[in-house]
Amino acid sequence: MPKREAEAVAVFLGLTVITVGWWVLAFWPTGAPTSELLERTRDVCFGTSATGLPDTAGWLALVLQPTILFGLYFIIMGQAFEDGVRAVLERRTGRVLVGVYVVLLFAGLSGVGARVANASDLLSAGSTSVAAGALDAYPQIDRVAPEFVLVDQFGEALSLGRFRGRPVMVTFAFGHCKTVCPAVVHDVNAARRRVPESNAAVVVISLDPWRDLPSRLTHMAEQWELGEDSYAVSGPVADVEAALDAWQVPRARDTNTGDIVHPRLVYLVDGEGVIAYAVTGGVDQMVGLLGRM
């Protein structure tokens, strides 16, 4: 194979490796051992949507950058690449390698599709419409909400008493969670937007005070798209654990990996500081119950 054609094929393979690495960074499942540095890198490069996948700007970067790179490549080296591929296909070994390349590319795209579909299903889970009769029969708790004093993303002490006179949606999540947590926080935000007249506040209490240090709360609040009157809170491990116990939050932490198993759980607290409902469903259920408070 002439030198120019060999160089064209080599450059194409190099661009492919860079693109695959870029997409692996964006979509490889984040298991418990995933480092905080990797998660921060992923968030800086692609952003993080409510599904735990890249946000709109991240998708544009993932699609546009390779498109521009390969477009320029084919403008400059298109003919040499075509001649190089033709030369590769003339050999049996070359045809096998091209076949392996195509299979791996298809498998990678299928994996990305499965990740996106799974995240979308998780996000929409429990978002079916809730009949009025079901809301009438929904059990009320009527238990005084446990007080807490923790630190919010602004570095200030935050207590439940600050919100006396208005409803509060209290939920539980942690920064390294990429499945249940983004979905439940998304649902809480969406429910509050649909009932603006409720003037409800949102408080997200960390399940992982070991890693969700107060210095990380600003990043977490941005990641979860918490807006005005929405707070991510953490603090000393003993204080957070005491608050979680008082709120009767089921959880199990793997001390080796730091991963935490927990349910979807949102408490709706009324303006008198009384827990009215405990919700495990989706947006429609929260909207209906907020409207009854």
Side-chain angles (χ1 to χ4, degrees), residues 18 40 63 73 82 106 114 142 181 203 230 245 262:
I18 292 171
R40 285 182 176 273
V63 174
Y73 167 82
E82 183 178 338
F106 178 77
D142 292 332
C181 301
V203 176
S230 296
D245 289 340
H262 64 98

Side-chain angles (χ1 to χ4, degrees), residues 28-36 39 42-43 48-53 115 122 171-186 204-209 211-212 216 219-220 223-224 252 257-265:
W28 193 264
T30 52
T34 303
S35 71
E36 182 176 340
E39 291 189 1
R42 178 177 293 187
D43 189 56
T48 306
S49 69
T51 62
L53 297 178
R115 278 272 287 148
L122 223 137
T171 191
F172 311 90
F174 64 104
H176 286 71
C177 176
K178 298 298 181 184
T179 52
V180 175
C181 301
V184 71
V185 175
H186 171 273
V204 184
I205 300 178
S206 170
L207 291 162
D208 186 9
R211 292 181 292 180
D212 292 345
R216 292 200 67 238
H219 170 76
M220 290 164 55
Q223 178 178 308
W224 290 331
T257 65
D259 197 26
I260 298 169
V261 177
H262 64 98
R264 293 172 56 102
L265 179 60

Side-chain angles (χ1 to χ4, degrees), residues 13-28 38 41-42 45-46 62 65-66 70 105 108 112:
L13 292 175
L15 290 176
T16 299
V17 170
I18 292 171
T19 301
V20 168
W22 193 238
W23 279 66
V24 165
L25 175 61
F27 293 104
W28 193 264
L38 175 59
T41 301
R42 178 177 293 187
C45 292
F46 313 109
L62 286 165
Q65 289 188 14
F70 280 101
L105 182 62
V112 170

